[in-house]
Amino acid sequence: MPWTPGKTKMAAAMESKTKIQEVKELMAKKDGIESEIKELSDLLQSQGGVGMDGPLIDEELYPRSDIDIYSVRHARHRIICLQNDHKELMKEIEEGLYQVHAAAKGEHAESMEIEPVCPGRVTTFAYVDLVDEGSPAQAAGLEKCDELVEFGSVTAQNFVNLQNIATIVQHSVGKPIKITVLRKEEMVKLTLTPNTWSGRGFLGCKIVPGEKVSMPER
């Protein structure tokens, strides 16, 4: 459960420790899955480099005699299952990391007054300081001075530092991320897909943490 106002410093520290252990266990599972996928991929490569899509029949439509068809089919099926498990596990790890950050933040918030976000108002947590020409960020429609309201599952309520955003980007290369920005007092929803391009990074923009700013929601 994420940290909430009213928890003691000791409770927040214990929760942080528990969440860290949970994330470590998830990471160990992830490493195990990735290791098994590699072993199965190596097996497919050893079968004439058949891979995940290579044909299992020859030009005369007979089963290929140069490969172990049963092993290839089993490896392919297992890889698909493992890839699905890996995808779900990455979501759990991402959420776990947010909770770790939130719990750690809670350790230092015992004496702070927490002001709830008022209904009908929106809170931002960072802003775009630069957008490179020809970048994925530009293609998504991001503009300089856009203020971030949501970046995937990151909001002002669980944002701790830019590592939150970096984690999502790292796990979403080639996959769309839903984001919401505040632009000239208007809410704008965009879809950003991190990817390699001719410039640096997967986004091609500079995001700067900023003071949380409340503006009327249009």
Side-chain angles (χ1 to χ4, degrees), residues 121-126 147 149 156 182 210-216:
R121 301 177 72 84
V122 65
T123 307
T124 64
F125 58 89
E147 296 180 73
V149 178
L182 187 65
E211 293 184 3
K212 299 174 182 178
V213 181
S214 294
M215 301 291 292

Side-chain angles (χ1 to χ4, degrees), residues 109-171:
E110 182 183 5
S111 62
M112 295 173 58
E113 292 185 4
I114 307 298
E115 182 180 352
V117 179
C118 298
R121 301 177 72 84
V122 65
T123 307
T124 64
F125 58 89
Y127 63 93
V128 178
D129 189 49
L130 176 70
V131 177
D132 292 329
E133 188 77 21
S135 66
Q138 185 185 56
L142 268 180
E143 297 181 3
K144 183 178 179 179
C145 297
D146 281 349
E147 296 180 73
L148 296 183
V149 178
E150 295 177 344
F151 192 101
S153 55
V154 176
T155 66
Q157 283 66 53
N158 60 21
F159 176 77
V160 178
N161 53 44
L162 290 180
Q163 185 59 44
N164 298 139
I165 293 176
T167 298
I168 291 182
V169 172
Q170 180 182 354
H171 297 155

Side-chain angles (χ1 to χ4, degrees), residues 44-87:
L44 293 178
Q45 282 299 113
S46 71
Q47 294 290 318
V50 68
M52 293 293 290
D53 304 309
L56 303 183
I57 58 176
D58 58 25
E59 295 179 354
E60 297 180 352
L61 304 183
Y62 286 104
R64 288 175 56 177
S65 60
D66 60 326
I67 62 175
D68 184 340
I69 293 179
Y70 173 80
S71 296
V72 170
R73 284 177 172 170
H74 174 76
R76 286 177 173 179
H77 175 74
R78 182 61 179 159
I79 286 175
I80 291 172
C81 292
L82 289 171
Q83 287 174 336
N84 290 334
D85 291 344
H86 187 272
K87 182 178 180 180

Side-chain angles (χ1 to χ4, degrees), residues 87-112:
K87 182 178 180 180
E88 293 303 314
L89 196 57
M90 292 307 296
K91 292 179 181 178
E92 292 184 47
I93 291 172
E94 181 180 312
E95 180 60 29
L97 288 172
Y98 294 147
Q99 293 182 13
V100 167
H101 292 317
K105 188 177 182 181
E107 293 183 49
H108 304 286
E110 182 183 5
S111 62
M112 295 173 58

